[in-house]
Amino acid sequence: MDEIRPNSGAQAHGLVPLFPPGLQAIYGECRRLYPDQANPLQVTAIVKYWLGGPDPLDYISMYRNMGCAAQDVQEHWHYVSFGLSDLYGDNRVHEFTGTDGPSGFGFELTFRLKREAGETAPPTWPAELMQGLARYVFQSENTFCSGDHVSWHSPLDNSESRIQHMLLTEDPQMHPIQTPFGTVSFLQIVGVCAEELQASQQWNGQGILELMRGIKVAGGPWLITDMRRGETIFEIDPHLQQERVDQGIETEGSNLSGVSAKCVWDDLSRPPDDEEDSRSICIGSQPRRLSNKDTEQIRETLRKGLEFNSKAALPPISSQKQNHDRAQSRKDSLESESSAAIVPHELVRTRQLESVHLKFNQESGTLLPLCLRGRLLHGRHFTYKSINGDTAITFVSTGVEGAFATEEHPYAAHGPWLQILLTEEFVEQMLGDLHELGSRDEVN
Protein backbone atom coordinates (compact mmCIF):
# COMPACT_ATOMS: atom_id res chain seq x y z
CA MET A 1 0.00 0.00 0.00
CA ASP A 2 1.10 3.55 -0.61
CA GLU A 3 -0.06 6.99 0.52
CA ILE A 4 -1.46 9.57 -1.91
CA ARG A 5 -3.41 12.79 -1.90
CA PRO A 6 -6.14 12.43 -4.57
CA ASN A 7 -7.28 15.36 -6.66
CA SER A 8 -11.04 15.41 -6.14
CA GLY A 9 -11.81 18.88 -7.45
CA ALA A 10 -12.64 18.08 -11.10
CA GLN A 11 -16.39 18.01 -10.65
CA ALA A 12 -16.35 21.35 -8.85
CA HIS A 13 -14.91 22.95 -12.00
CA GLY A 14 -17.61 21.46 -14.24
CA LEU A 15 -15.34 18.79 -15.74
CA VAL A 16 -16.19 15.16 -16.30
CA PRO A 17 -15.70 13.41 -12.92
CA LEU A 18 -12.53 11.37 -12.72
CA PHE A 19 -13.86 8.96 -10.13
CA PRO A 20 -16.35 6.10 -10.62
CA PRO A 21 -19.92 6.76 -9.39
CA GLY A 22 -19.73 4.51 -6.31
CA LEU A 23 -16.50 6.17 -5.25
CA GLN A 24 -17.99 9.62 -5.80
CA ALA A 25 -21.01 8.77 -3.65
CA ILE A 26 -18.82 7.89 -0.66
CA TYR A 27 -16.62 10.93 -1.24
CA GLY A 28 -19.78 13.02 -1.19
CA GLU A 29 -20.67 11.78 2.30
CA CYS A 30 -17.10 12.43 3.44
CA ARG A 31 -17.20 15.96 2.01
CA ARG A 32 -20.40 16.61 3.91
CA LEU A 33 -18.50 15.94 7.16
CA TYR A 34 -15.17 17.44 6.10
CA PRO A 35 -15.81 20.28 3.62
CA ASP A 36 -12.40 21.78 4.42
CA GLN A 37 -10.51 18.51 3.78
CA ALA A 38 -11.14 17.95 0.07
CA ASN A 39 -7.83 16.12 -0.39
CA PRO A 40 -7.32 13.93 2.70
CA LEU A 41 -4.26 11.82 3.22
CA GLN A 42 -5.09 8.46 1.73
CA VAL A 43 -3.71 4.92 1.73
CA THR A 44 -4.19 3.09 -1.55
CA ALA A 45 -3.56 -0.44 -2.76
CA ILE A 46 -0.61 -0.28 -5.17
CA VAL A 47 -2.01 -3.23 -7.15
CA LYS A 48 -5.79 -3.18 -7.06
CA TYR A 49 -7.64 -6.29 -5.90
CA TRP A 50 -9.33 -6.61 -9.29
CA LEU A 51 -5.88 -6.71 -10.90
CA GLY A 52 -4.68 -9.53 -8.66
CA GLY A 53 -3.46 -7.51 -5.69
CA PRO A 54 -3.83 -8.77 -2.09
CA ASP A 55 -5.72 -5.78 -0.67
CA PRO A 56 -9.52 -5.70 -1.24
CA LEU A 57 -9.86 -2.02 -0.28
CA ASP A 58 -8.85 0.32 -3.07
CA TYR A 59 -8.48 3.28 -0.69
CA ILE A 60 -8.64 4.28 2.97
CA SER A 61 -9.11 8.02 3.54
CA MET A 62 -7.87 9.57 6.79
CA TYR A 63 -9.45 12.73 8.19
CA ARG A 64 -8.69 14.95 11.17
CA ASN A 65 -11.86 15.23 13.25
CA MET A 66 -11.97 18.09 15.74
CA GLY A 67 -14.49 16.32 17.97
CA CYS A 68 -17.45 18.03 19.62
CA ALA A 69 -17.04 20.09 22.77
CA ALA A 70 -20.78 20.08 23.44
CA GLN A 71 -20.75 16.26 23.69
CA ASP A 72 -17.31 16.11 25.31
CA VAL A 73 -15.89 14.31 22.27
CA GLN A 74 -12.13 14.59 21.91
CA GLU A 75 -10.12 15.29 18.77
CA HIS A 76 -9.29 12.18 16.77
CA TRP A 77 -8.39 10.65 13.41
CA HIS A 78 -11.25 9.29 11.29
CA TYR A 79 -10.58 6.50 8.76
CA VAL A 80 -13.01 5.54 5.96
CA SER A 81 -12.68 2.53 3.64
CA PHE A 82 -13.50 2.29 -0.09
CA GLY A 83 -14.02 -1.15 -1.62
CA LEU A 84 -16.43 -3.30 0.36
CA SER A 85 -19.21 -1.60 -1.58
CA ASP A 86 -19.38 -1.50 -5.38
CA LEU A 87 -17.32 1.45 -6.54
CA TYR A 88 -17.41 0.79 -10.29
CA GLY A 89 -20.64 -0.97 -11.25
CA ASP A 90 -18.98 -2.96 -14.04
CA ASN A 91 -18.67 -6.34 -12.23
CA ARG A 92 -14.90 -6.06 -11.91
CA VAL A 93 -15.16 -6.71 -8.15
CA HIS A 94 -18.82 -6.94 -7.13
CA GLU A 95 -21.73 -8.32 -9.09
CA PHE A 96 -24.17 -5.51 -9.84
CA THR A 97 -27.61 -6.66 -8.64
CA GLY A 98 -29.61 -3.44 -8.96
CA THR A 99 -30.07 -0.18 -7.11
CA ASP A 100 -32.67 -1.43 -4.62
CA GLY A 101 -30.39 -3.78 -2.68
CA PRO A 102 -26.99 -3.37 -1.07
CA SER A 103 -24.05 -2.12 -3.09
CA GLY A 104 -21.44 -4.88 -3.02
CA PHE A 105 -21.40 -6.12 0.55
CA GLY A 106 -23.57 -3.16 1.50
CA PHE A 107 -21.19 -1.40 3.88
CA GLU A 108 -17.84 0.31 4.33
CA LEU A 109 -15.68 0.31 7.45
CA THR A 110 -14.69 3.34 9.53
CA PHE A 111 -12.42 3.75 12.55
CA ARG A 112 -11.87 6.58 15.04
CA LEU A 113 -8.48 6.76 16.76
CA LYS A 114 -7.59 9.19 19.52
CA ARG A 115 -5.14 11.84 18.31
CA GLU A 116 -2.11 11.90 20.55
CA ALA A 117 -0.55 15.19 21.58
CA GLY A 118 1.89 16.40 18.97
CA GLU A 119 0.64 14.15 16.16
CA THR A 120 0.51 16.04 12.87
CA ALA A 121 -0.41 13.11 10.64
CA PRO A 122 -2.60 10.04 11.24
CA PRO A 123 -0.92 6.68 11.93
CA THR A 124 -1.34 4.32 8.98
CA TRP A 125 -1.60 1.02 10.87
CA PRO A 126 -5.44 1.23 11.01
CA ALA A 127 -5.42 0.93 7.20
CA GLU A 128 -3.82 -2.51 7.38
CA LEU A 129 -6.27 -3.49 10.14
CA MET A 130 -9.17 -2.54 7.86
CA GLN A 131 -7.61 -4.43 4.97
CA GLY A 132 -7.39 -7.51 7.20
CA LEU A 133 -11.09 -7.32 8.04
CA ALA A 134 -11.91 -6.75 4.37
CA ARG A 135 -9.92 -9.85 3.37
CA TYR A 136 -12.01 -11.88 5.82
CA VAL A 137 -15.24 -10.54 4.30
CA PHE A 138 -14.14 -11.20 0.72
CA GLN A 139 -12.79 -14.69 1.46
CA SER A 140 -15.65 -15.88 3.68
CA GLU A 141 -18.42 -13.79 2.08
CA ASN A 142 -19.72 -13.20 5.60
CA THR A 143 -20.83 -9.63 6.15
CA PHE A 144 -20.64 -7.61 9.37
CA CYS A 145 -23.55 -6.09 11.28
CA SER A 146 -23.73 -3.54 14.07
CA GLY A 147 -23.06 -5.29 17.38
CA ASP A 148 -20.81 -7.97 15.86
CA HIS A 149 -17.51 -8.78 17.53
CA VAL A 150 -14.13 -9.74 16.07
CA SER A 151 -11.73 -11.84 18.16
CA TRP A 152 -8.30 -10.54 17.06
CA HIS A 153 -6.08 -11.82 19.93
CA SER A 154 -3.37 -9.26 19.26
CA PRO A 155 -2.92 -5.54 19.95
CA LEU A 156 -4.53 -3.77 17.03
CA ASP A 157 -1.40 -1.63 16.50
CA ASN A 158 1.10 -4.45 17.24
CA SER A 159 2.15 -2.74 20.48
CA GLU A 160 1.73 -3.92 24.08
CA SER A 161 -1.80 -2.47 24.29
CA ARG A 162 -4.71 -4.19 26.03
CA ILE A 163 -6.91 -3.25 23.06
CA GLN A 164 -6.78 -6.58 21.25
CA HIS A 165 -10.30 -7.18 19.90
CA MET A 166 -13.05 -5.28 18.09
CA LEU A 167 -16.76 -4.54 18.18
CA LEU A 168 -18.69 -3.02 15.30
CA THR A 169 -21.35 -0.32 15.41
CA GLU A 170 -22.95 2.33 13.21
CA ASP A 171 -20.69 5.30 12.61
CA PRO A 172 -22.18 8.17 14.66
CA GLN A 173 -21.67 10.79 11.94
CA MET A 174 -21.75 9.05 8.58
CA HIS A 175 -25.25 8.38 7.27
CA PRO A 176 -26.27 5.46 5.03
CA ILE A 177 -26.17 6.57 1.40
CA GLN A 178 -27.85 5.59 -1.85
CA THR A 179 -25.37 5.06 -4.68
CA PRO A 180 -26.04 4.23 -8.34
CA PHE A 181 -25.21 0.62 -7.44
CA GLY A 182 -27.23 0.21 -4.23
CA THR A 183 -27.19 1.25 -0.60
CA VAL A 184 -24.09 1.64 1.58
CA SER A 185 -23.95 1.96 5.36
CA PHE A 186 -20.89 2.74 7.47
CA LEU A 187 -19.80 0.37 10.24
CA GLN A 188 -17.31 1.70 12.77
CA ILE A 189 -14.59 -0.48 14.29
CA VAL A 190 -14.27 -0.06 18.07
CA GLY A 191 -11.21 -1.43 19.87
CA VAL A 192 -11.95 -3.34 23.09
CA CYS A 193 -10.15 -5.33 25.78
CA ALA A 194 -10.50 -9.09 26.20
CA GLU A 195 -12.84 -8.71 29.18
CA GLU A 196 -15.13 -6.43 27.17
CA LEU A 197 -15.15 -8.87 24.26
CA GLN A 198 -16.09 -11.72 26.60
CA ALA A 199 -18.92 -9.68 28.08
CA SER A 200 -20.23 -8.86 24.60
CA GLN A 201 -20.25 -12.56 23.74
CA GLN A 202 -22.03 -13.55 26.93
CA TRP A 203 -24.56 -10.71 26.74
CA ASN A 204 -24.59 -8.62 23.54
CA GLY A 205 -22.32 -6.25 21.68
CA GLN A 206 -24.78 -3.37 21.61
CA GLY A 207 -25.10 -3.45 25.40
CA ILE A 208 -21.34 -3.24 25.91
CA LEU A 209 -21.04 -0.46 23.33
CA GLU A 210 -23.69 1.52 25.19
CA LEU A 211 -21.74 1.15 28.43
CA MET A 212 -18.58 2.35 26.66
CA ARG A 213 -20.40 5.41 25.32
CA GLY A 214 -20.99 6.48 28.90
CA ILE A 215 -17.29 6.37 29.83
CA LYS A 216 -15.12 9.00 28.11
CA VAL A 217 -11.81 7.16 28.47
CA ALA A 218 -13.40 4.00 27.01
CA GLY A 219 -14.63 5.80 23.88
CA GLY A 220 -17.32 8.25 24.89
CA PRO A 221 -20.36 9.08 22.72
CA TRP A 222 -18.51 8.54 19.42
CA LEU A 223 -16.60 5.43 20.61
CA ILE A 224 -13.10 6.69 19.89
CA THR A 225 -10.45 4.02 20.34
CA ASP A 226 -7.56 4.91 22.65
CA MET A 227 -4.77 2.35 22.23
CA ARG A 228 -3.19 3.59 25.49
CA ARG A 229 -6.27 2.79 27.56
CA GLY A 230 -5.03 0.61 30.42
CA GLU A 231 -8.29 -0.23 32.20
CA THR A 232 -11.40 -2.08 31.13
CA ILE A 233 -14.83 -0.53 31.71
CA PHE A 234 -15.30 -3.04 34.53
CA GLU A 235 -12.13 -1.85 36.25
CA ILE A 236 -13.18 1.77 35.78
CA ASP A 237 -16.67 1.04 37.18
CA PRO A 238 -16.79 -2.32 39.03
CA HIS A 239 -20.58 -2.12 39.38
CA LEU A 240 -21.12 -2.53 35.64
CA GLN A 241 -20.35 -6.27 35.60
CA GLN A 242 -22.95 -7.28 38.17
CA GLU A 243 -25.57 -4.57 37.78
CA ARG A 244 -25.64 -4.41 33.97
CA VAL A 245 -23.91 -7.37 32.33
CA ASP A 246 -24.79 -10.24 34.68
CA GLN A 247 -28.34 -8.95 35.05
CA GLY A 248 -28.62 -8.59 31.28
CA ILE A 249 -27.47 -12.17 30.71
CA GLU A 250 -29.96 -13.43 33.28
CA THR A 251 -32.97 -11.54 31.90
CA GLU A 252 -32.17 -11.22 28.17
CA GLY A 253 -29.73 -14.01 27.39
CA SER A 254 -27.15 -13.57 24.64
CA ASN A 255 -27.79 -12.37 21.10
CA LEU A 256 -24.69 -14.16 19.81
CA SER A 257 -26.25 -16.88 17.65
CA GLY A 258 -23.07 -18.46 16.34
CA VAL A 259 -19.31 -18.27 15.82
CA SER A 260 -16.68 -19.45 13.40
CA ALA A 261 -14.71 -22.08 15.28
CA LYS A 262 -12.34 -25.01 15.19
CA CYS A 263 -14.68 -27.94 15.69
CA VAL A 264 -15.43 -31.45 14.44
CA TRP A 265 -18.08 -34.02 15.23
CA ASP A 266 -17.98 -37.80 15.07
CA ASP A 267 -20.89 -40.20 14.57
CA LEU A 268 -20.47 -42.93 17.18
CA SER A 269 -23.54 -44.80 15.95
CA ARG A 270 -21.52 -46.86 13.50
CA PRO A 271 -18.44 -49.03 14.06
CA PRO A 272 -15.10 -47.41 13.19
CA ASP A 273 -14.37 -49.91 10.40
CA ASP A 274 -17.52 -48.96 8.52
CA GLU A 275 -16.44 -47.28 5.29
CA GLU A 276 -19.59 -45.17 5.41
CA ASP A 277 -18.80 -44.01 8.95
CA SER A 278 -19.43 -40.28 9.13
CA ARG A 279 -16.54 -39.91 11.54
CA SER A 280 -14.47 -39.65 8.39
CA ILE A 281 -14.85 -36.08 7.24
CA CYS A 282 -13.79 -37.05 3.73
CA ILE A 283 -15.22 -39.20 0.97
CA GLY A 284 -12.15 -40.50 -0.75
CA SER A 285 -10.06 -37.39 -1.28
CA GLN A 286 -13.01 -35.06 -1.57
CA PRO A 287 -14.33 -33.20 1.51
CA ARG A 288 -18.01 -33.24 2.25
CA ARG A 289 -19.73 -29.98 1.50
CA LEU A 290 -22.85 -28.26 2.66
CA SER A 291 -25.59 -27.90 0.10
CA ASN A 292 -26.79 -24.45 -0.96
CA LYS A 293 -29.88 -24.78 1.21
CA ASP A 294 -27.91 -25.89 4.27
CA THR A 295 -25.42 -23.08 3.81
CA GLU A 296 -28.12 -20.46 3.42
CA GLN A 297 -29.92 -21.78 6.48
CA ILE A 298 -26.78 -21.65 8.62
CA ARG A 299 -26.06 -18.13 7.40
CA GLU A 300 -29.59 -17.12 8.32
CA THR A 301 -29.11 -18.77 11.71
CA LEU A 302 -25.95 -16.75 12.37
CA ARG A 303 -27.41 -13.53 10.97
CA LYS A 304 -30.78 -13.55 12.69
CA GLY A 305 -29.74 -13.79 16.33
CA LEU A 306 -32.37 -11.96 18.36
CA GLU A 307 -34.23 -10.62 15.32
CA PHE A 308 -36.91 -13.24 15.93
CA ASN A 309 -39.73 -11.52 17.77
CA SER A 310 -41.54 -14.63 18.92
CA LYS A 311 -40.26 -18.16 19.21
CA ALA A 312 -36.78 -18.77 17.85
CA ALA A 313 -36.85 -20.47 14.48
CA LEU A 314 -34.49 -21.84 11.89
CA PRO A 315 -35.41 -21.08 8.27
CA PRO A 316 -37.01 -24.22 6.79
CA ILE A 317 -34.48 -26.42 5.11
CA SER A 318 -36.70 -26.88 2.07
CA SER A 319 -37.12 -23.17 1.37
CA GLN A 320 -35.41 -21.34 -1.45
CA LYS A 321 -33.49 -18.14 -0.88
CA GLN A 322 -36.08 -15.49 -0.13
CA ASN A 323 -34.02 -12.90 1.70
CA HIS A 324 -34.29 -9.63 -0.20
CA ASP A 325 -32.33 -7.69 2.43
CA ARG A 326 -29.06 -9.11 1.20
CA ALA A 327 -27.42 -9.46 -2.17
CA GLN A 328 -28.01 -12.71 -4.06
CA SER A 329 -25.39 -15.41 -3.56
CA ARG A 330 -22.10 -14.21 -5.00
CA LYS A 331 -20.61 -17.64 -5.70
CA ASP A 332 -23.61 -19.91 -5.24
CA SER A 333 -22.90 -19.91 -1.51
CA LEU A 334 -20.15 -22.26 -0.36
CA GLU A 335 -20.90 -24.93 -2.92
CA SER A 336 -19.61 -24.85 -6.47
CA GLU A 337 -21.10 -26.77 -9.37
CA SER A 338 -18.22 -29.22 -9.25
CA SER A 339 -18.68 -29.91 -5.55
CA ALA A 340 -22.34 -30.81 -6.00
CA ALA A 341 -21.34 -33.70 -8.21
CA ILE A 342 -19.15 -35.32 -5.57
CA VAL A 343 -21.76 -35.38 -2.80
CA PRO A 344 -23.66 -38.70 -2.81
CA HIS A 345 -27.42 -38.29 -2.70
CA GLU A 346 -27.81 -40.06 0.61
CA LEU A 347 -25.61 -37.51 2.36
CA VAL A 348 -28.10 -34.71 1.84
CA ARG A 349 -30.86 -36.63 3.56
CA THR A 350 -31.39 -36.10 7.26
CA ARG A 351 -29.98 -38.94 9.34
CA GLN A 352 -30.84 -39.68 12.97
CA LEU A 353 -27.80 -40.60 15.10
CA GLU A 354 -27.67 -42.56 18.33
CA SER A 355 -24.63 -40.83 19.80
CA VAL A 356 -22.10 -38.20 18.79
CA HIS A 357 -18.68 -37.01 19.91
CA LEU A 358 -17.92 -33.29 19.70
CA LYS A 359 -14.45 -31.74 19.66
CA PHE A 360 -13.71 -28.02 20.09
CA ASN A 361 -10.55 -26.00 20.52
CA GLN A 362 -10.17 -24.13 23.81
CA GLU A 363 -11.59 -20.79 22.70
CA SER A 364 -14.65 -22.46 21.18
CA GLY A 365 -15.07 -24.67 24.23
CA THR A 366 -15.12 -21.72 26.61
CA LEU A 367 -18.19 -20.45 24.72
CA LEU A 368 -20.21 -23.58 25.60
CA PRO A 369 -21.58 -22.07 28.85
CA LEU A 370 -22.64 -19.01 26.85
CA CYS A 371 -24.35 -21.28 24.32
CA LEU A 372 -26.21 -23.12 27.06
CA ARG A 373 -27.04 -20.36 29.55
CA GLY A 374 -27.30 -17.37 27.24
CA ARG A 375 -29.03 -19.07 24.32
CA LEU A 376 -30.65 -22.46 24.94
CA LEU A 377 -32.14 -21.62 28.35
CA HIS A 378 -33.82 -18.68 26.60
CA GLY A 379 -35.37 -20.89 23.92
CA ARG A 380 -32.83 -20.09 21.21
CA HIS A 381 -30.15 -21.80 19.12
CA PHE A 382 -26.37 -21.55 18.71
CA THR A 383 -24.14 -22.62 15.80
CA TYR A 384 -20.45 -23.45 15.60
CA LYS A 385 -19.31 -23.19 11.96
CA SER A 386 -15.92 -24.76 11.28
CA ILE A 387 -13.29 -22.44 9.84
CA ASN A 388 -11.52 -25.46 8.32
CA GLY A 389 -14.35 -26.79 6.18
CA ASP A 390 -18.09 -27.17 5.91
CA THR A 391 -18.63 -28.85 9.28
CA ALA A 392 -21.28 -27.11 11.39
CA ILE A 393 -22.76 -27.93 14.81
CA THR A 394 -26.02 -26.28 15.87
CA PHE A 395 -27.42 -26.64 19.39
CA VAL A 396 -31.17 -26.09 19.56
CA SER A 397 -33.66 -25.91 22.42
CA THR A 398 -37.12 -27.44 22.39
CA GLY A 399 -38.58 -24.03 21.54
CA VAL A 400 -36.79 -23.68 18.20
CA GLU A 401 -38.99 -24.22 15.17
CA GLY A 402 -37.72 -25.55 11.85
CA ALA A 403 -34.96 -27.74 13.31
CA PHE A 404 -34.52 -31.27 11.98
CA ALA A 405 -33.36 -32.49 15.42
CA THR A 406 -36.38 -33.45 17.54
CA GLU A 407 -37.00 -34.64 21.09
CA GLU A 408 -37.53 -38.13 19.68
CA HIS A 409 -34.32 -37.94 17.64
CA PRO A 410 -32.15 -35.29 19.38
CA TYR A 411 -29.05 -35.97 17.27
CA ALA A 412 -29.58 -35.46 13.54
CA ALA A 413 -27.26 -34.72 10.63
CA HIS A 414 -27.78 -33.28 7.18
CA GLY A 415 -24.51 -33.98 5.41
CA PRO A 416 -21.76 -32.35 7.52
CA TRP A 417 -24.27 -30.21 9.46
CA LEU A 418 -25.12 -31.65 12.88
CA GLN A 419 -28.02 -30.48 15.02
CA ILE A 420 -28.30 -31.39 18.70
CA LEU A 421 -31.51 -30.77 20.62
CA LEU A 422 -31.02 -30.33 24.36
CA THR A 423 -33.82 -30.29 26.91
CA GLU A 424 -33.71 -27.73 29.72
CA GLU A 425 -32.89 -30.48 32.21
CA PHE A 426 -29.97 -31.68 30.11
CA VAL A 427 -28.72 -28.09 29.70
CA GLU A 428 -28.68 -27.59 33.48
CA GLN A 429 -26.75 -30.84 33.87
CA MET A 430 -24.21 -29.78 31.24
CA LEU A 431 -23.76 -26.38 32.89
CA GLY A 432 -22.83 -28.15 36.09
CA ASP A 433 -20.34 -30.36 34.26
CA LEU A 434 -18.85 -27.36 32.42
CA HIS A 435 -18.79 -25.03 35.42
CA GLU A 436 -15.03 -24.42 35.27
CA LEU A 437 -15.23 -23.21 31.67
CA GLY A 438 -17.38 -20.30 32.85
CA SER A 439 -14.92 -19.09 35.49
CA ARG A 440 -13.02 -15.87 34.86
CA ASP A 441 -9.76 -17.54 35.78
CA GLU A 442 -7.61 -18.97 33.01
CA VAL A 443 -8.65 -22.47 31.97
CA ASN A 444 -5.89 -25.05 31.65
Side-chain angles (χ1 to χ4, degrees), residues 52-63:
D55 299 319
L57 301 176
D58 282 7
Y59 311 100
I60 296 101
S61 287
M62 301 176 286
Y63 297 90

Side-chain angles (χ1 to χ4, degrees), residues 395-410:
F395 293 92
V396 299
S397 66
T398 53
V400 174
E401 298 176 347
F404 50 76
T406 64
E407 290 190 61
E408 183 180 2
H409 299 290

Side-chain angles (χ1 to χ4, degrees), residues 131-306:
Q131 290 283 16
L133 292 177
R135 290 187 200 103
Y136 165 78
V137 173
F138 272 82
Q139 292 168 9
S140 69
E141 298 186 346
N142 294 325
T143 58
F144 290 129
C145 298
S146 179
D148 281 353
H149 74 271
V150 179
S151 302
W152 200 250
H153 299 290
S154 176
L156 304 188
D157 60 350
N158 294 317
S159 67
E160 299 298 320
S161 174
R162 292 185 69 179
I163 309 299
Q164 301 188 8
H165 307 280
M166 291 166 274
L167 295 177
L168 292 158
T169 188
E170 296 94 348
D171 189 284
Q173 287 186 296
M174 301 194 73
H175 303 154
I177 58 174
Q178 179 69 48
T179 79
F181 313 128
T183 58
V184 180
S185 60
F186 296 92
L187 286 179
Q188 180 177 317
I189 301 164
V190 182
V192 297
C193 303
E195 295 84 351
E196 293 155 356
L197 173 79
Q198 184 181 41
S200 71
Q201 293 173 330
Q202 294 173 343
W203 182 27
N204 65 75
Q206 297 288 15
I208 298 303
L209 288 166
E210 192 58 36
L211 296 181
M212 294 178 67
R213 288 187 181 98
I215 302 176
K216 181 179 179 179
V217 296
W222 292 3
L223 293 169
I224 299 164
T225 297
D226 179 2
M227 294 304 297
R228 296 187 180 183
R229 174 161 68 97
E231 293 181 302
T232 71
I233 59 174
F234 307 113
E235 292 167 342
I236 296 170
D237 185 351
H239 299 290
L240 291 180
Q241 179 68 49
Q242 184 174 2
E243 295 178 1
R244 297 295 299 277
V245 178
D246 291 346
Q247 184 178 356
I249 296 170
E250 184 68 27
T251 58
E252 304 167 17
S254 170
N255 74 343
L256 181 66
S257 59
V259 293
S260 298
K262 292 184 178 179
C263 62
V264 295
W265 62 270
D266 296 338
D267 176 9
L268 301 185
S269 306
R270 295 174 175 173
D273 58 350
D274 189 339
E275 292 182 357
E276 297 296 321
D277 184 8
S278 66
R279 284 191 288 182
S280 172
I281 304 301
C282 297
I283 307 169
S285 61
Q286 299 284 2
R288 292 185 175 179
R289 296 181 181 272
L290 294 171
S291 70
N292 283 344
K293 294 177 183 177
D294 290 351
T295 298
E296 198 64 23
Q297 185 176 357
I298 292 174
R299 283 184 172 176
E300 287 296 286
T301 298
L302 298 178
R303 188 180 71 87
K304 284 291 185 180
L306 286 183

